[in-house]
């Protein structure tokens, strides 16, 4: 069975045709529970997200700040497994028909088995993987299997990436390029900064892939700012924080993430 890389590409192209950036949301699988996490993703899609990244919880999430670390810890203490991640992808995609990716560090895939992981992700209707800590020069086996199963391989670029390095990364990637707006970990910020616009400009000079910006975007104002120069706006910690702030009230948490998605979906619509 083939994965949904084409659906991902079509979704990003549709947003561009509508003169707006795509809204890409991130939520960890198994948070606050497996069922609760699936419901949250559906709520985010219902609010207006175009794409969702499902986080595979990790005990040492080096890219993630304290909010997502807290969520990962809750999911891991709840016993979340890769099978639950695949179920989350499957049910979210089947319910909405929209593209769902997995964001994961490399170690869980390496232990699980590349062929097994890619085959199961494709069977679940997944669109691909975001792999923040997989070096491009060590990614050929992964990419071979991902290509075979119709899955995108999304790499992360940072403001520190030199132009030559950007070209190497974008040549190996597919689906889109994840541009980290700043150096550091995930989390909300007061401003996204000019570094992000420069990074998008330099990345586009090396590739025709859409460039989507994450790290630090938490509200509609920031989403609008980023949508001026990026193909997609990625928001994670702000969604997770809404669920944490609901303090165990599932209905309140779902309403909060749906509302935030609607606000952000309005923000990514550019002013002509």
């Amino acid at each position: 069975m083939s994965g949904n890389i084409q659906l991902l590409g079509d979704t990003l192209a549709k947003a561009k045709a509508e003169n707006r950036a795509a809204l890409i949301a991130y939520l960890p699988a198994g948070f606050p529970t497996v069922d609760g996490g699936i419901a949250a993703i559906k709520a985010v899609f219902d609010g207006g997200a175009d794409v969702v990244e499902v986080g595979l919880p990790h005990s040492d999430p080096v890219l993630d700040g304290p909010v997502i670390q807290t969520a990962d810890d809750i999911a891991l203490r709840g016993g979340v497994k890769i099978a639950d991640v695949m179920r989350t992808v499957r049910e979210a995609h089947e319910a909405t028909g929209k593209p769902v990716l997995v964001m994961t560090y490399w170690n869980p895939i390496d232990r699980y088995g590349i062929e097994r992981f890619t085959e199961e992700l494709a069977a679940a209707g997944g669109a691909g993987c975001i792999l923040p800590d997989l070096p491009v020069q060590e990614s050929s086996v992964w990419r071979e299997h991902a290509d075979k199963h119709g899955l995108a391989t999304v790499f992360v670029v940072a403001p520190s990436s030199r132009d030559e390095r950007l070209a190497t990364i974008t040549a190996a990637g597919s689906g889109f390029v994840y541009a980290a707006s700043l150096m550091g970990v995930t989390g909300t910020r007061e401003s996204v900064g000019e570094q992000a616009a420069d990074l998008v400009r330099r990345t586009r000079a090396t590739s025709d892939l859409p460039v989507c910006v994450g790290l630090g975007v938490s509200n509609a104002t920031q989403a609008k700012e980023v949508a001026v120069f990026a193909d997609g706006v990625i928001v994670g910690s702000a969604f997770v924080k809404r669920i944490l702030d609901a303090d165990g009230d599932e209905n309140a948490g779902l309403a909060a993430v749906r509302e935030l998605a609607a606000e952000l979906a309005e923000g990514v619509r550019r002013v002509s």
Side-chain angles (χ1 to χ4, degrees):
M1 182 173 181
S2 182
N4 274 310
I5 186 173
Q6 186 63 50
L7 176 63
L8 175 63
D10 291 347
T11 299
L12 295 172
K14 180 174 183 288
K16 183 176 182 179
E18 294 172 355
N19 191 38
R20 66 178 179 87
L23 174 59
I24 303 175
Y26 167 94
L27 282 167
F31 168 73
T33 62
V34 176
D35 288 342
I38 293 168
I41 292 169
K42 292 177 182 177
V44 166
F45 272 134
D46 187 47
D50 298 288
V51 180
V52 165
E53 305 169 6
V54 175
L56 196 161
H58 194 275
S59 57
D60 184 26
V62 294
L63 184 71
D64 298 305
V67 171
I68 292 175
Q69 285 185 26
T70 298
D72 277 7
D73 185 58
I74 290 169
L76 290 168
R77 285 192 282 112
V80 70
K81 295 178 170 56
I82 289 180
D84 299 312
V85 177
M86 298 299 180
R87 180 190 154 207
T88 299
V89 171
R90 178 181 295 105
E91 294 193 15
H93 172 64
E94 286 180 350
T96 65
K98 294 185 177 180
V100 182
L101 300 104
V102 169
M103 185 166 189
T104 178
Y105 298 99
W106 179 246
N107 188 51
I109 294 178
D110 195 36
R111 290 191 305 174
Y112 197 72
I114 298 173
E115 172 60 22
R116 181 184 177 193
F117 190 93
T118 51
E119 184 176 0
E120 290 183 8
L121 182 56
C129 259
I130 301 165
L131 301 161
D133 66 340
L134 176 62
V136 172
Q137 62 270 26
E138 298 174 18
S139 69
S140 59
V141 175
W142 160 266
R143 287 187 283 121
E144 177 185 337
H145 287 282
D147 290 348
K148 180 173 74 172
H149 290 291
L151 298 169
T153 297
V154 179
F155 289 114
V156 179
V157 297
S160 61
S161 302
R162 296 180 181 273
D163 292 350
E164 183 179 348
R165 176 69 176 163
L166 287 176
T168 300
I169 292 171
T170 59
S174 56
F176 64 90
V177 181
Y178 187 126
S181 67
L182 39 75
M183 301 302 293
V185 297
T186 59
T188 61
R189 301 291 196 281
E190 290 300 316
S191 64
V192 178
E194 294 180 5
Q195 282 185 321
D198 180 64
L199 177 58
V200 170
R201 178 188 60 76
R202 292 193 298 117
T203 303
R204 280 189 176 141
T206 71
S207 174
D208 292 330
L209 286 174
V211 184
C212 303
V213 171
L215 271 68
V217 180
S218 61
N219 58 50
T221 300
Q222 292 173 333
K224 187 179 289 292
E225 173 192 344
V226 173
V228 170
F229 58 81
D231 298 297
V233 179
I234 303 169
V235 181
S237 295
F239 283 113
V240 173
K241 189 173 186 301
R242 291 286 179 107
I243 295 173
L244 289 171
D245 288 348
D247 199 24
D249 185 333
E250 182 174 347
N251 288 333
L254 295 178
V257 296
R258 187 182 295 108
E259 178 184 44
L260 177 59
E263 293 169 2
L264 292 165
E266 187 62 33
V268 299
R269 281 162 171 77
R270 303 178 180 126
V271 178
S272 299

